[in-house]
Amino acid sequence: MNFDTWLPLFVVLSSLLPGLVMFFLDEGSHRLRTVLNMSGALLKLLLVGVITWGVFHQHIYETRWTLAPGLELVLHADTLSVLFVILSTVLWLVTTVYAIGYLEKSPHRSRFFGFFSVCVSATVGLALAGNLLTFVLFYELLTLATYPLVAHRGTPEALRGARIYLAYTLTGGVLLFTGTVWLHSIAGSIAFVEGGTLNQLHADYHPQLKVIFLLMITGLGVKAALVPLHGWLPQAMVAPAPVSALLHAVAVVKAGAFGIIRVVYDVYGVEFTHELGLLTGLGIIAAITIIYGSVKALSQDNLKKRLAYSTVSQVSYIALGITILGPIGTIGGIVHLVHQGVMKITLFFTAGNYAETLGIHKVSEMDGVGQRMPATTLAFSIGALGMIGIPPVAGYVSKWYLALGSLEAGMAWWVMPVLVTSSLLNAAYFLPILYRAWFKQPATKWPSEKILPARFETQAALLWPPLITAVLAIAAGMFAASPYSPLEWASLITRREYGL
Amino acid sequence: MNEQLLILSWLLPLLVAPLALFNRHWPASLAAVPALITAFFVPAGTVVQIPWLFLGSHFGLDHNASIFLMFSAVIWFVAGLQAELTMRNAPLWARFRFFFLLAMSGNFWLILSQDMVNFYLGFSLMGLSAYALVIHSATSKSLFAGRVYLIMTLLAESALLAGFLFIYSHTGSLAPAAGQLAGISNWAIGFLILGLGIKAGLVFLHVWLPLTYTAAPIPASAVLSGAMINVALLGWIRYLPVGQETLPEWGSLLVIAGTASIVFGAVAGLVQSKAKTVLAYSSISKMGFMTSLIGLAMLAPEQSEYIVMAVVFLAAYHGLAKSALFLGIGIVKAINSKLTFMLLLLPALVLAAAPFTAGSMMKTVIRPVIDNWQGEWIHVLPILLLTSSFATAMLMVRFLVIMSVELSLRPKKSFSIALPWVCLVALLIFVPFLLDHSFSPVIDSWPLAAVITGSLLLLYIRPPWMYSLPGLIPAGDLLFPMMTLGASARLYIRAFTCRVNSKIKTLICQLNNNFRNLIRFALSLTGGKS
Amino acid sequence: MLTAHWLYGLSGCLIMTFGLRAVLLNDSLLQRIIALNVMGTGVFMILITIAYRGPDAAPDPIPHALVLTGIVVAVSATALALTLIRRLTEEQDND
Amino acid sequence: MNATNMLFLDILLVIALLSLAWATLTATDARRSVILFIAFGLVLTLAWARLLAPDVALAEAAIGAGLSGALLLAAVQHHPRRALSSERQNTGKLANEKQNDSNPADLKSSVAIRWTLTLFCIALAFVLIWALLQALSSETSDTLAQSVSANLANSGVSNPVTAVLLNFRAYDTLLELAVLLTAVLGIFALSEQRTGYLPAGPVFNGLVSWLVPALILMAGYLLWVGAHAPGGAFQAGATLAAAGVILRLAGKRNIGLPVSKSYLNIILVIGSGLFLLVGLTMLALGRPFLDYPPAMAGYLILLIETAAMISIAATLILAFLGGRPRNREDRSC
Amino acid sequence: MIDTLIWLVALPLASALATQLLPRYATAIVISTAIATSINAAALLYAVATHGVMLYQIGGWTAGLGIALRADGLSALLLMMAAIVLLASSIYASAYFNDNPLRRRFWPLWLLLWCSLNALLLSGDLFNLYVTLELLGLSAVALASLGGKTAALQAALRYLLVGLLGSMLFLAGVTLIYAGYGTLDLATLSRVVAAGPIAWSALALMTVGLLLKTALFPLHFWLPPAHGSAPAPVSAVLSALVVKATFYLVMRLWLDIFSEVVTPQAASIPGVLGAAAVLWGSWQALRAERLKLLAAYSTVAQLGYLFLFFPLLQALPAGAARDAAMGGLVILALTHGLAKSGLFLAIGIIQQRSGHDTIRDLDGTAQRLPATTFAIALSGIALIGLPPSGAFLGKWHLLAAAFSAGQWLWVVVIMIGTLLAAAYTFRVLGHAFGQQPYPRHPVTIAAEEWPALILSAFATIGLGLAGAPVWQLLKVSL
């Protein structure tokens, strides 16, 4: 037994165990819970740091555990998983701080933080999954862990949102599960191998493989919120802000997108997928989703809903990147996984701040909020500009690579218009908010001002997380070309995927 | 040191901008000083590579950039000073200055950047910050102008980005050398022309320009018209394969579009009733001329070196003169004296290329082109020149007429606020003598001289018919018919979707009912609950 | 095969199916219990028939033992069922 | 008796059995059903005897017809109206199958179901007969019966049925005693004893006074004889229980059972308890469970049978009484 | 070592007698018996894993003349599950009946039930199986009627009648077997049985009898009221173990002893019924108004899943794929046993706390009992078949077998069933969320909440992650 073999497991356990302990903590033991939360998050960060260094230097970290004959639980750290793990770990740390501040006085904190930790463990687990079975396992665990978080408020709307969320994701889960088993019964083991392995199967299986692909992508598409499977996402907005942040930036939608990446690159192999004629369909869906989400976002007055539809649109950039055959498009898709995460979490944090500090839930209530909460609004602006694709915020890097990739692949004739339209629509639904927030006169009275300005415009624990993530978003864009940046890491992944 | 200055030129305004929010007395426009120093003292050819920044950054100062930086820095500096002097106590001054500095940073940034990402970054920073300048007065007109401006700017940015992508995918380099541009796809050229054409106010793409210039506060209009508009030319010079290959279609397109702009700008401008609007149309007209020059360069690559030189000089003069005019409006209105009005005449004359002014130096610049020209487009250039001069002259007359009306209405203010402007005007008059020793202010274009003289006479006489024309074409001209069209289309589409929607709704309703009945039936079969 | 086998085997089968039919169709709980007993008897009859080896041969003792056990089990179940019925009627009377 | 007479008797018996069974099952009145059932049991005894199964015949007479009949009669006696009523209050499938005059639609479906089930039963009868005849006509090896007789000498008894019951398949019997215990515990858990009958008149009392000792004596005999002839613990227990039933009918409250709860418990438990104890003792002696040493086998079996008889009798009597003893101090138990 | 087999039967029986005699010490006796029997079961499991099939000839007589107890991987696993469930339920029951006079009646019957379960799982003799079935049935009925209300009595009576009918049909089948093959020993029978009218009709009779007791659709009608109105620990054991025991017998007969006799057409009958059970049971569970009824209908559905395996196992050739599917079947059964018992125990707590189990009105109660709600959630996960529960592995193999055998219909059934299960589970869990005050401590009644939680967690996490030995053990078969 050596440390390398168990490291991936430790990464998962570093949040899972504190989470399980937290369920059984008394509601009043605030300090112990905070200590558990933070030490778990920091330990995970440390472990992930080690893994990152190792993976960069071609070390192999793999935990294997036999569930049944032929069914193995494999946690394996490769470049792609490390990218996602880092994202989740860093953002979890930030979100934990935020959540501690956000839920300061609300009830059921033991439950909340317990599920919160399980949720992150599931995300990390599916990031590190070394085969489809493991992926499915953590994918479902994620569904289960997020349901209580969405329902946390317990209001009828919250329960309704949670129910809808569950209906969608579980159906998706069942489809994914069925596809996985089917594939397993055809192809045997289904480890994630860079470049995929299914092209070696006999051509007789190709029709079945197509159906399986459809099943799996539909299953994953639910979480990735591909139209028309996106219906849960705007409903899940009832969740507390840290949850929405995590849901949209890291955990759920990303899990879906990440899964699509895995299936296309590491199970089917992108060339083989293309050969089967499946990429185009996915691409068209992604394109429709991008436009649809943006158009829907335009007409939302509820801030979080607008952000939700924005997520619908933005996450599909990842899927779009996948469907662009060739390394550059791939880089664009993969790097957007990180960039969208950092930017969207900033937006949700700030939306939460508005709600928590001033009771602002609607765009129409945001007039002049920049004067009352300049730092928060600054972070919001950075996130929003990044979403539009304005440098130096990270978003432009993704769009640049996606567009470039489409040019290389000869798909520019439809990808570029989609990208341009979407960017313009992004601008159309974000810039008016910025205008209101900065340039309009504030209302005489905020909807319900819960936190009065003291040293900061709001609680410190609420203020710092969005600022940090905003800085991260800018840094990811500004230092895109520097080593260890998300872009460089995505390039490394792509090189390995394409065997370059 | 040179490298640091280069970076500081755009970085300082960016860094100072947030500070400017907190201290309203500190003269923040001094942030343009490094750019001024860079423009005048850093030798062309200086290069700074920052591989870790963005996708790999590349800054540098070539000849063209040097000249662009020179006049842009001057304009920003002067406009900034004037803003400090006149607007300090206005509401929202801090915000204005913040975005003023950001736009300034963006402008310098894109001039100094040699790679496309940084160019684009500067371009969008400048474009988006200018939005805040445009809507500064927060009247409904300025908000409307701002909206139009923003939409067009975003369109421009998208198109520019698309163009850059095509270039990158062709050359594989973010900072392509001129030689690498040969053979770039038509898409790239098309997007560049579209994106920068919006910025340049090319006819049909110009609708935002008159609105914006009219709505913005005077220092903002000055930088918009003097510095920002010209970046379109810089972009074209840098990224179109000018001089690399003959592109007859694109070239003629630019020439035609440019010519149309000249004429349209003149026609629409003449019937305006606001000084700023007239200047805006004059910009359209003037930019049209420069655009057609670039078109000519594409038609005749061998001439491109001279043409580009001419364009750069024209841009510089146009920029300086136009900003001087805009600033002058403010000065004249504020100080209300004959002297300032007379001073305002000078940049107007310069712009109209009047004899004895720096404007006539333009001929010196263009003459080599005409001299060396061989080819079928030989006759075009003189005609263009003439048309443009004529148009400009007419517009200047119109401008002065309007200004002369305004003259008697305002209270007097201290002359001290006019100081930067006076310096600018002086610069405009005297710099050519400093730069070019062979410059001789002689009259070599009698027809033009006649036109100008006649116009001045006209100005003195003020015939009544001149007052009946204004209002024929509103500022923003084509926008309004287009908006009417758009609105009716939207109405139609809404009506259509409503109909379809209601049909779908009834269908779904029916299906729903059927389904419910089915379930009820199934339940009755199973005997209800057990 | 002996005639007795025919006769008793057949009647065992018939008694069992009579019983089964009555269990399924009868209304009264008491009669259902009786029917179950009758049905069991049918099965027992088959068992005893199997054990029979002719008038002169000793029969197989195992089925006999099985039937003995079966009878006791049946009476236990019957007793429990009857008590249940009694309690139920009492409860219903109380209701 | 010659073969023809035998056949005649057989046919007569079979016809009687079938018609009694049919009559029992189709009687409209529960009381009549019970009486017919008892009659059926008595005729059955004859059939068992005819098929050379005297042990079973005895058991049927005592238990199948006798005690079951008594239990059923008692049930009819106490709840004549309710016992006949259908499970009308029940919801669910069974209730749906019931005839319900108030609803013609139900009636119709009920008739349909009735016929379907009847046809199903007829089909089942044919299949059963077919399979049985197949089985009887195939020459199956008789190894098991042979090995019974081969091992009879080692079993400690000479009655092969007793040998099977208490030695070869003693485990079955142990579990069977557990079944009895379960039933009586279930009955205890469910209800209390019925209130007693009125004290009997002098004539009946006189009858009781000699019938009960005779039955006890007979039980003892059956128990003893079981080792080598028809008889055994079950028959003996049932006979003993019959004595109890008679006492009960005579109005005796405790019918000889101990009043103390713990003694009663011991009586109930002793049958299976002693059986189990013997089995486990063998385990302690290093033998398999219930593997009696051949020399001791006879005694051990007798011991077990005695204990079993007591428990069986007590169980059957308590079942007839219908519940746990009424106890003033502790009504809840 | 080999004595573990008989002790598994003898000890609960002895303790049952002891509790009847010494009611004052009943709880102590029961708990120590439960622990001892669990250790015993574990020892048996270990012995089977290391030494292979365990055989115990009672009375020293050879099987056939005497009765043999046998334990292979399958029975050892089920015994172990029974031990775990009963141990947990015993602890639970000691608190549940804390000051209830029923306690004295409860314990002996409880132990008799355990005894009969063990006896059934170990028995290697057809007639002995009949006796154990009767013992099981009567003790189960007696326990189910303990509630004492009209509904409980009615349900118990129906349960009894159905059970008796089932046993009687089973006995008829046994009779035919004895008539045809002259043996009752299962091992001997599996050697001599051959396709033909005797085997077919005997198997049919026994199967129908057992299916009645296993409550396979449409013979399930008695189950929901019986399981729904019994006391909580009894419901737990009825749903988790009692129906499983008869299912075990069906499995033994169809997949082991009569495997040569069963045709694909015949095997598809339980498959179709199972599919119907999955859909109907889940649908009814979704419509149930009471928690216990929901759980009971869920049992109907879950049993359906088990029967879906039959046509697939019949279709798959002997080999790795069939072994894997077999393991899936067993792990599904084990998971359901543990999860369902955990669920019923948890429901019992809720019912005790709020005095009812109407789903609509659960809000406050569910929120004041976080640990119990958590137990319900965990068992719900196992019922749905979500990872990492054992049922996930079971469903995986079920699906895999369906794909391998090319029987697509079952795939759809499984998918729909899973979604319905999710629907009815989360219908309940929705009530756990709200702004009711959170209790100071997550666990309030340790002796009741921990058993429920541990059973559910075992099903959901233990079997899912550490289920691999099941396949190893199943290689040890008769």
Side-chain angles (χ1 to χ4, degrees), chain B residues 451-509:
Chain B
V451 168
I452 291 168
T453 322
S455 309
L456 286 175
L457 273 174
L458 208 64
L459 179 62
Y460 185 73
I461 298 162
R462 291 186 195 167
W465 52 266
M466 277 186 74
Y467 302 95
S468 60
L469 284 174
L472 273 183
I473 301 178
D477 50 78
L478 290 178
L479 185 63
F480 299 100
M482 264 154 51
M483 274 172 64
T484 324
L485 212 68
S488 53
R490 208 163 72 182
L491 271 177
Y492 177 75
I493 290 170
R494 188 173 293 167
F496 179 74
T497 47
C498 254
R499 222 170 41 230
V500 173
N501 253 355
S502 68
K503 276 207 175 131
I504 290 174
K505 263 183 196 155
T506 20
L507 197 70
I508 288 174
C509 225

Side-chain angles (χ1 to χ4, degrees), chain D residues 12 17-18 31 71 86 95 99 102 135 147 154 224 265 273 283 298 301 320 322:
Chain D
L12 212 65
L17 281 173
L18 286 175
R31 192 186 303 264
L71 288 172
S86 65
Q99 194 164 343
S102 61
S147 60
N154 293 329
W224 174 252
N265 278 341
L283 222 52
I301 288 175
F320 181 74

Side-chain angles (χ1 to χ4, degrees), chain A residues 396 403-404 407 435 478 481, chain B residues 52-54 128 143 165-166 168:
Chain A
Y396 82 96
L404 210 56
L407 272 172
Y435 170 75
M478 269 182 75
Chain B
W52 46 261
L53 190 63
F54 305 111
L128 293 178
L143 289 178
L165 278 163
F166 279 102
Y168 181 73

Side-chain angles (χ1 to χ4, degrees), chain B residues 162-224:
Chain B
F164 281 173
L165 278 163
F166 279 102
I167 294 173
Y168 181 73
S169 99
H170 176 73
T171 61
S173 163
L174 282 172
Q180 285 176 288
L181 291 171
I184 58 171
S185 74
N186 284 327
W187 286 104
I189 299 173
F191 277 123
L192 278 179
I193 289 177
L194 175 67
L196 295 172
I198 291 173
K199 195 98 252 182
L202 219 51
V203 77
F204 292 121
L205 306 173
H206 71 283
V207 287
W208 61 275
L209 201 145
L211 287 169
T212 309
Y213 285 16
T214 314
I218 281 164
S221 303
V223 289
L224 274 166

Side-chain angles (χ1 to χ4, degrees), chain B residues 280-350:
Chain B
Y281 279 104
S282 148
S283 283
I284 292 171
S285 175
K286 209 72 193 163
M287 289 306 286
F289 177 56
M290 290 182 259
T291 309
S292 39
L293 281 183
I294 289 191
L296 282 175
M298 290 168 88
L299 288 167
E302 66 285 353
Q303 296 293 323
S304 64
E305 199 184 326
Y306 299 109
I307 297 179
V308 166
M309 206 162 75
V311 168
V312 171
F313 274 97
L314 281 175
Y317 271 104
H318 170 243
L320 287 170
K322 191 53 66 60
S323 52
L325 285 171
F326 267 109
L327 292 174
I329 297 173
I331 300 295
V332 167
K333 282 184 180 173
I335 297 172
N336 193 12
S337 83
K338 291 274 177 196
L339 179 63
T340 51
F341 188 75
M342 293 318 279
L343 275 175
L344 191 63
L345 266 173
L346 291 175
L349 286 169
V350 169

Side-chain angles (χ1 to χ4, degrees), chain B residues 231-507:
Chain B
V231 302
L233 300 169
L234 184 65
W236 279 332
I237 292 167
R238 246 187 223 169
Y239 296 109
L240 284 179
V242 176
Q244 302 303 322
E245 54 183 333
T246 320
L247 295 163
E249 291 83 7
W250 291 113
S252 37
L253 177 76
L254 277 186
V255 170
I256 292 163
T259 316
S261 296
I262 297 171
V263 176
F264 184 82
V267 171
L270 277 175
V271 296
Q272 297 304 321
S273 55
K274 282 187 179 161
K276 280 164 141 189
T277 323
V278 176
L279 290 183
Y281 279 104
S282 148
S283 283
I284 292 171
S285 175
K286 209 72 193 163
M287 289 306 286
F289 177 56
M290 290 182 259
T291 309
S292 39
L293 281 183
I294 289 191
L296 282 175
M298 290 168 88
L299 288 167
E302 66 285 353
Q303 296 293 323
S304 64
E305 199 184 326
Y306 299 109
I307 297 179
V308 166
M309 206 162 75
V311 168
V312 171
F313 274 97
L314 281 175
Y317 271 104
H318 170 243
L320 287 170
K322 191 53 66 60
S323 52
L325 285 171
F326 267 109
L327 292 174
I329 297 173
I331 300 295
V332 167
K333 282 184 180 173
I335 297 172
N336 193 12
S337 83
K338 291 274 177 196
L339 179 63
T340 51
F341 188 75
M342 293 318 279
L343 275 175
L344 191 63
L345 266 173
L346 291 175
L349 286 169
V350 169
L351 199 67
F356 302 108
T357 66
S360 61
M361 186 181 171
M362 186 173 74
K363 308 297 176 302
T364 339
V365 181
I366 293 185
R367 175 147 317 120
V369 183
I370 300 173
D371 292 347
N372 293 325
W373 196 274
Q374 293 150 348
E376 47 191 309
W377 291 81
I378 179 84
H379 305 296
V380 174
L381 189 56
I383 297 169
L384 273 178
L385 195 58
L386 191 66
T387 324
S388 171
S389 301
F390 189 73
T392 310
M394 296 299 289
L395 284 169
M396 285 306 106
V397 170
R398 176 75 196 143
F399 168 71
L400 290 171
V401 166
I402 295 171
M403 284 311 290
S404 68
V405 175
E406 304 242 348
L407 202 58
S408 53
L409 303 175
R410 299 294 156 114
K412 237 175 187 172
K413 271 195 184 166
S414 154
F415 195 78
S416 60
I417 60 163
L419 213 56
W421 178 66
V422 173
C423 292
L424 181 65
V425 174
L427 185 75
L428 200 60
I429 303 300
F430 294 113
V431 157
F433 298 100
L434 302 174
L435 282 182
D436 190 349
H437 301 289
S438 66
F439 179 72
S440 59
V442 290
I443 306 166
D444 60 354
S445 178
W446 288 108
L448 200 61
V451 168
I452 291 168
T453 322
S455 309
L456 286 175
L457 273 174
L458 208 64
L459 179 62
Y460 185 73
I461 298 162
R462 291 186 195 167
W465 52 266
M466 277 186 74
Y467 302 95
S468 60
L469 284 174
L472 273 183
I473 301 178
D477 50 78
L478 290 178
L479 185 63
F480 299 100
M482 264 154 51
M483 274 172 64
T484 324
L485 212 68
S488 53
R490 208 163 72 182
L491 271 177
Y492 177 75
I493 290 170
R494 188 173 293 167
F496 179 74
T497 47
C498 254
R499 222 170 41 230
V500 173
N501 253 355
S502 68
K503 276 207 175 131
I504 290 174
K505 263 183 196 155
T506 20
L507 197 70

Side-chain angles (χ1 to χ4, degrees), chain A residues 283-305:
Chain A
I284 289 167
I285 302 259
I288 291 172
T289 309
I290 290 173
I291 301 294
Y292 175 86
S294 306
V295 170
K296 285 293 280 187
L298 278 176
S299 58
Q300 305 299 324
D301 188 30
N302 185 315
L303 180 60
K304 279 176 97 184
K305 272 208 168 162

Side-chain angles (χ1 to χ4, degrees), chain A residues 385 389-392 396-397 400-401 403-404 407-408 412 416 420 424 427 431 435 438-439 477-482 487, chain B residues 51-56 95 99 117 120-121 124 128 131-132 135 143 150 154-155 158 161-162 164-166 168-169 174:
Chain A
L385 292 175
I390 289 165
Y396 82 96
V397 180
W400 176 267
Y401 273 86
L404 210 56
L407 272 172
E408 302 274 290
M416 292 267 264
V420 169
L424 291 177
L431 291 182
Y435 170 75
W438 289 118
F439 296 150
M478 269 182 75
F479 308 122
S482 49
L487 178 65
Chain B
W52 46 261
L53 190 63
F54 305 111
L55 304 173
R95 189 176 93 189
F99 286 105
V117 170
Y120 174 72
L121 205 158
S124 32
L128 293 178
Y131 168 76
I135 60 151
L143 289 178
L150 197 60
L154 286 169
L155 265 176
S158 305
L161 188 64
F164 281 173
L165 278 163
F166 279 102
Y168 181 73
S169 99
L174 282 172

